[in-house]
């Protein structure tokens, strides 16, 4: 059994519907979803704002690569088309596997061309850390420390101010 944190982002088309598509596709393994945040684009500023959220998921048989397969399936279901020329460009849905733990709570480390765990840039992304705190207030990013400490660190201080909670938007059905 593994437990994983998945980060969701969308800035093309019906952004909320794309996030909901991911949640629906992962409903059978979903433990909890964060609130939705509207954020400026990261990495390539010439694009629309994103809606972001984080999911905590668990599966008795999944390994790290299985989470990557599920993430890509969710992206495909939302019509994601990868642009090799624009790595951090706009997308209908982006689902990143941020971290994976064993049933015993041991973080898994993976380093291959398709999947790196923990996610190599998660500690630099307020749009990942802040929603994650919604669902795990005492969470830690393996290899980097407490989420709250990371979010208040110097590199992220200004990014946090750009996050806009959107309590009017829900990604889970009641």
């Amino acid at each position: 059994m593994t437990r994983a944190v998945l980060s969701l982002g969308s800035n093309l088309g019906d952004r909320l519907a794309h996030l909901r598509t991911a949640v629906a596709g992962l409903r059978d393994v979903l433990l909890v979803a964060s609130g939705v945040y509207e954020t400026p684009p990261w990495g390539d500023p010439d694009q629309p704002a994103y809606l972001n959220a984080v999911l905590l998921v668990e599966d008795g048989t999944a390994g790290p690569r299985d989470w990557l397969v599920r993430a890509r399936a969710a992206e495909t279901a939302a019509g994601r088309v990868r642009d090799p020329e624009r790595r951090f460009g706009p997308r209908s849905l982006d689902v990143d596997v941020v971290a994976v733990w064993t049933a015993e709570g041991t973080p898994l480390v993976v380093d291959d061309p398709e999947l790196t765990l923990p996610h190599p840039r998660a500690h630099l992304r307020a749009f990942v850390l802040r929603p994650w705190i919604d669902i795990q207030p005492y969470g830690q990013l393996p290899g980097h420390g407490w989420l709250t400490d990371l979010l208040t660190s110097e590199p992220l201080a200004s990014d946090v101010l750009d996050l806009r909670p959107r309590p009017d938007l829900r990604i889970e059905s009641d």
Side-chain angles (χ1 to χ4, degrees):
M1 176 190 79
T2 60
R3 185 173 280 201
V5 169
L6 306 177
S7 174
L8 311 178
S10 175
N11 75 337
L12 290 179
D14 187 339
R15 301 174 302 164
L16 183 60
H18 293 314
L19 297 183
R20 287 176 174 164
T21 295
V23 170
L26 294 160
R27 173 82 49 216
D28 62 324
V29 294
L30 181 65
L31 296 176
V32 64
S34 74
V36 175
Y37 290 79
E38 192 158 21
T39 63
W42 190 93
D44 181 348
D46 189 24
Q47 57 183 309
Y50 276 81
L51 289 182
N52 293 98
V54 168
L55 307 179
L56 182 63
V57 292
E58 183 177 87
D59 186 326
T61 61
R65 192 155 301 284
D66 298 312
W67 292 118
L68 179 62
V69 168
R70 286 182 182 203
R72 289 185 176 164
E75 292 174 346
T76 299
R80 166 86 184 261
V81 177
R82 293 184 183 275
D83 181 352
E85 302 294 318
R86 202 167 174 196
R87 181 173 182 195
F88 297 114
R91 65 256 344 241
S92 57
L93 182 65
D94 185 45
V95 181
D96 285 335
V97 182
V98 177
V100 177
W101 295 265
T102 65
E104 296 77 28
T106 304
L108 297 176
V109 176
V110 176
D111 187 13
D112 73 42
E114 286 193 77
L115 180 64
T116 302
L117 292 174
H119 190 286
R121 290 171 299 283
H123 67 288
L124 301 172
R125 294 178 171 175
F127 64 84
V128 171
L129 301 173
R130 180 59 193 96
W132 187 356
I133 289 171
D134 281 358
I135 60 177
Q136 287 190 319
Y138 300 102
Q140 294 184 49
L141 177 60
H144 294 280
W146 297 101
L147 302 178
T148 50
D149 290 345
L150 293 169
L151 196 62
T152 57
S153 67
E154 182 57 38
L156 295 181
S158 63
D159 290 350
V160 172
L161 298 175
D162 292 332
L163 293 172
R164 197 171 109 209
R166 293 293 309 266
D168 56 314
L169 304 178
R170 296 182 47 85
I171 59 173
E172 288 187 278
S173 60
D174 294 326

